[in-house]
Amino acid sequence: MNDASTPATVVIYSGGMDSYTVLHRALREGREVHALSFDYGQRHARELEVAARVCRNLGVPHQVVDIRAIHGLIDASALTDARRALPEGDYAEENLTATVVPNRNMILLSLAIAKAVNIGAGRVDYGAHGGDHVLYPDCRPEFVEAMNAVAGIANFQAVEIHTPYLQAGKAEILADGLAMGLDYADTWTCYRGEALACGRCGSCRERLAAFAANDATDPLGYCQRPDPAAEPAKGGE
C-alpha cells in the first residue's frame, strides 16, 4: 500500500512518447508513480524494453503484465497479427483502421484500475490525446467520461482516470515534454520493432511532424526520415 501522505497513481506506460510524457508529468506533481505495461501479443517487444529501461533508471516501480492469453480475442489488427501488412502514410481513418486493437484501452484501463484499488492509489493516468480522436474510439472524451463514471462505482474505492492531454495534439505533448527537459531518445514509437524506426508508418510520421512543429530534431535513428513539413500527419499514437 502507498503512503497516504503521498498521492499515488498508476500510469499505463507503453514506452511511447505520450505515456513517457504522462509518466514524467505525474512525477513532477510529486506523486508516487507505479508504471504498468502490458504484453498483449503486440508484434514486437521493443516498446516494453524501452519502458523497463526508463523505469529502472528513474527508480519507478514497473510491472509488465502478461496478457498474451487473450491474443486470440484481439488479433484482428495489424498491430497484433504479423500476417497483416502494416499500413504506411499519415494517420487517417481511411488508411489506418487496420491498426485498431479491439477494445484495447477498456481492457488495459480495467486492469490498471484493479491495481490502483489494490495498492490504494486514487488515480490511473493514460496518454489518450486529441490526435487519436479521429481514429481510436477508446481515446475520445466520450469514452474517458464513461470509463471515469464506471471507475467511480466499480469498487468500494473510487478511482479517477486522468488524461492530461485529452484535448492536446502530439506537438503540444512534445512541447510540454521538451519544456520539462525530457529526452525522447528514451521512447519508441515505430510500429516495427527493428533496430531503427522505419519513418514510413503513421506513428513515425506523426512523431516526426511533432518534432518539426517544435523546431526540434528527433533523437531516434530512422531507416528513412521523410520531410514531415511537406506532408503533415493527422493523428496519433
Side-chain angles (χ1 to χ4, degrees):
M1 301 292 286
N2 72 289
D3 180 350
S5 65
T6 304
T9 188
V10 175
V11 176
I12 297 178
Y13 184 34
S14 70
M17 286 178 64
D18 307 328
S19 59
Y20 177 75
T21 313
V22 168
L23 179 81
H24 281 83
R25 183 170 174 142
L27 289 170
R28 294 293 179 100
E29 291 178 14
R31 288 186 173 265
E32 178 188 317
V33 172
H34 297 259
L36 196 61
S37 302
F38 297 91
D39 183 351
Y40 53 87
Q42 53 266 59
R43 288 176 68 145
H44 63 80
R46 183 70 182 270
E47 59 188 2
L48 297 178
E49 294 166 0
V50 170
R53 184 177 70 244
V54 167
C55 290
R56 187 166 56 249
N57 291 340
L58 290 171
V60 168
H62 179 226
Q63 182 177 1
V64 179
V65 184
D66 185 351
I67 54 172
R68 286 175 295 173
I70 70 167
H71 185 261
L73 306 179
I74 59 171
D75 61 358
S77 168
L79 297 190
T80 50
D81 185 353
R83 297 170 300 179
R84 296 172 184 257
L86 281 168
E88 297 181 352
D90 293 338
Y91 267 92
E93 185 174 0
E94 61 271 14
N95 73 322
L96 284 180
T97 52
T99 65
V100 176
V101 178
N103 209 37
R104 176 172 57 180
N105 281 343
M106 185 179 287
I107 294 167
L108 304 190
L109 281 166
S110 294
L111 294 171
I113 290 166
K115 180 175 177 67
V117 171
N118 194 52
I119 65 173
R123 202 172 84 178
V124 166
D125 295 14
Y126 89 112
H129 66 80
D132 286 334
H133 297 174
V134 66
L135 186 61
Y136 300 116
D138 57 3
C139 289
R140 294 173 185 164
E142 298 90 339
F143 171 80
V144 174
E145 181 180 352
M147 283 298 293
N148 242 324
V150 170
I153 62 174
N155 299 278
F156 290 117
Q157 173 189 329
V159 174
E160 175 196 0
I161 297 173
H162 184 60
T163 51
Y165 297 114
L166 188 59
Q167 300 298 340
K170 192 172 287 284
E172 295 171 87
I173 298 172
L174 177 61
D176 198 17
L178 292 174
M180 286 189 273
L182 303 186
D183 182 1
Y184 284 89
D186 291 328
T187 63
W188 185 259
T189 300
C190 184
Y191 284 153
R192 306 175 191 275
E194 298 166 356
L196 298 174
C198 73
R200 301 186 305 275
C201 69
S203 197
C204 280
R205 291 175 65 83
E206 186 198 29
R207 177 184 174 118
L208 287 166
F211 274 92
N214 282 279
D215 295 319
T217 300
D218 188 347
L220 282 188
Y222 284 84
C223 297
Q224 174 182 332
R225 190 183 288 255
D227 179 7
E231 199 174 354
K234 302 172 186 175
E237 173 190 4

